[in-house]
Structure formats: structure tokens, C-alpha cells
Amino acid sequence: QQQVKQSPQSLIVQKGGISIINCAYENTAFDYFPWYQQFPGKGPALLIAIRPDVSEKKEGRFTISFNKSAKQFSLHIMDSQPGDSATYFCAASIERNDYKLSFGAGTTVTVRA
Amino acid sequence: DTAVSQTPKYLVTQMGNDKSIKCEQNLGHDTMYWYKQDSKKFLKIMFSYNNKELIINETVPNRFSPKSPDKAHLNLHINSLELGDSAVYFCASSHTLAGVGDTQYFGPGTRLTVL
């Protein structure tokens, strides 16, 4: 069964707007939460990652917010650009285990110019 | 220089055939993976090798057999192909298996179509 639930399945945002993707998990042993970005015809690539000892991490226009008590984390894309149009996957793993990434179902983001 | 490469990029074959997908990484990583991405883009790990040793084998039919001749290569052989095997298969690698937050680097994928 899917260990990480991701929503929405797709979203459309205007250039300059904010894209928000949410993920939820059940396994409290998860302690590493990366986001991967995938462009059509390409493999996923790590975008940004967070560990549960911080509540927020920002890299450029991309921010992860983490709520440990709610077992939820989200990706915010600020000032969305057409070049951000891609599928975004959240994931989770247990670092001291066998490092098996459990992926969410993915969110296709379309940024309209 | 391509970090993780896969061949072929596209593979179209008939049901019942046997096929192989090759993967090579030039990153000096110890760990390699195979993922399957279905038509709904869901990514699921199939296998993981660390220093040529099988570490993860996720409930994958035994028609799928990975082979790692050395640390830089992880090939996937599929016997008796079925329609449900149609998907995009990604190879990935990371520095270590249980490394703290190790980034996985993905190849470009192999789109397998079984007719």
C-alpha cells in the first residue's frame, strides 16, 4: 500500500503564482523527506529535502514545510515559472534502515504564462 | 557526461519474449536501484544493490532478475514478458545504501512496451 499520500494529482497556476503540494505519511519511523522533480521524458531529480528536526527549509523559490505532529509536509513553489512545469514527487525513507524511498503518487504542475 | 545511463531508451517487444535493460553509472557510487514507473507515473522500487550485493527485492515476480557484474553496472533481465510489464523503468544510484540523506541520481528511463 502507498505509504505516502500526495495531493493534488495536478494543478495549474499562473506565472508568478504559488504552487502548493501536500503530502501525508503514517509511518512515524520516517526521518528523511525528499522532493523529486521530473520533466517529461526524463528521470526524477532531487529538488530539496528535509529532516524532521526542522519545520521549514528554503532553497531559492522552493520551500518545504514540515509538521511532525500532523505527519504532513508540503512543497511551496513561489513565483512559479513556466520552466517549473513538471511532475513533483514527495518521498520518505528511514535513513538508518535500508534507505528505501517510498514515493507519493506525484503532482503534475502546469505553469501558464 | 551522463551520470547514470540506460540502454535502450525504448523497447517494444511481443508478449512472452525475454529482454534486458542495461544501466551504468560513472559517479563512483556503491548503490544502484531499479524502479518501475507505471502509466499513472507511480514510482516503485524494485531492487537495490550495494557493492554488487542484492539488498532490496520488493515483491517483484521472479521473471525479473537483476544482475550486477560490477559496482558501476546493474542490468535488468525480464523473462516471459507480460502486458502488465509495460512501463518506464528507471535505474538510479546513490553514494551509499544507508547513507544519511543520500541523493539518488536517476537515469533517463527505458520505456518498455509489451504488445
Side-chain angles (χ1 to χ4, degrees):
Chain A
Q1 72 281 18
Q2 217 165 317
Q3 298 200 54
V4 181
K5 292 187 170 24
Q6 184 173 348
S7 62
Q9 187 175 6
S10 62
L11 68 91
I12 299 172
V13 63
Q14 293 296 319
K15 181 181 173 182
I18 302 173
S19 304
I20 301 175
I21 305 169
N22 300 302
C23 288
Y25 63 96
E26 286 298 324
N27 188 348
T28 54
F30 285 145
D31 55 6
Y32 176 65
F33 303 89
W35 285 86
Y36 279 76
Q37 179 189 53
Q38 184 180 25
F39 293 106
K42 304 291 185 185
L46 181 68
L47 184 65
I48 187 173
I50 198 168
R51 292 187 178 82
D53 53 343
V54 297
S55 59
E56 186 174 284
K57 183 174 181 180
K58 184 176 180 180
E59 288 184 4
R61 295 183 294 106
F62 300 90
T63 300
I64 301 178
S65 297
F66 187 83
N67 186 329
K68 189 173 181 178
S69 60
K71 293 183 285 186
Q72 295 175 348
F73 58 111
S74 60
L75 177 70
H76 291 61
I77 308 173
M78 312 301 285
D79 187 26
S80 297
Q81 299 297 312
D84 297 332
S85 297
T87 299
Y88 293 82
F89 294 92
C90 61
S93 70
I94 305 168
E95 284 190 319
R96 299 190 188 284
N97 202 336
D98 53 12
Y99 194 56
K100 187 167 56 182
L101 277 176
S102 296
F103 282 91
T107 297
T108 300
V109 174
T110 303
V111 182
R112 294 257 163 89
Chain B
D1 282 346
T2 305
V4 181
S5 59
Q6 296 178 228
T7 54
K9 189 164 175 61
Y10 299 96
L11 187 52
V12 181
T13 187
Q14 298 288 328
M15 253 189 344
N17 284 350
D18 303 339
K19 290 293 178 186
S20 292
I21 306 172
K22 295 186 176 181
C23 177
E24 176 181 4
Q25 53 93 4
N26 62 6
L27 297 166
H29 288 165
D30 288 338
T31 307
M32 297 184 73
Y33 311 80
W34 276 110
Y35 285 86
K36 179 180 180 180
Q37 187 172 47
D38 62 24
S39 58
K40 295 183 179 178
K41 297 188 181 177
F42 184 63
L43 264 172
K44 184 160 170 47
I45 190 165
M46 300 172 68
F47 301 103
S48 172
Y49 269 73
N50 180 252
N51 278 319
K52 302 195 299 175
E53 182 184 349
L54 180 65
I55 300 298
I56 297 172
N57 183 346
E58 286 288 290
T59 56
V60 176
N62 57 16
R63 298 182 295 103
F64 291 78
S65 53
K67 282 189 172 52
S68 181
D70 55 58
K71 275 191 347 180
H73 296 84
L74 180 62
N75 303 323
L76 183 65
H77 188 76
I78 315 170
N79 289 326
S80 303
L81 278 155
E82 300 178 357
L83 293 175
D85 298 332
S86 295
V88 180
Y89 291 84
F90 287 100
C91 177
S93 73
S94 64
H95 182 55
T96 63
L97 179 63
V100 176
D102 260 347
T103 300
Q104 291 189 18
Y105 294 84
F106 283 77
T110 296
R111 182 175 292 278
L112 171 65
T113 303
V114 183
L115 303 174

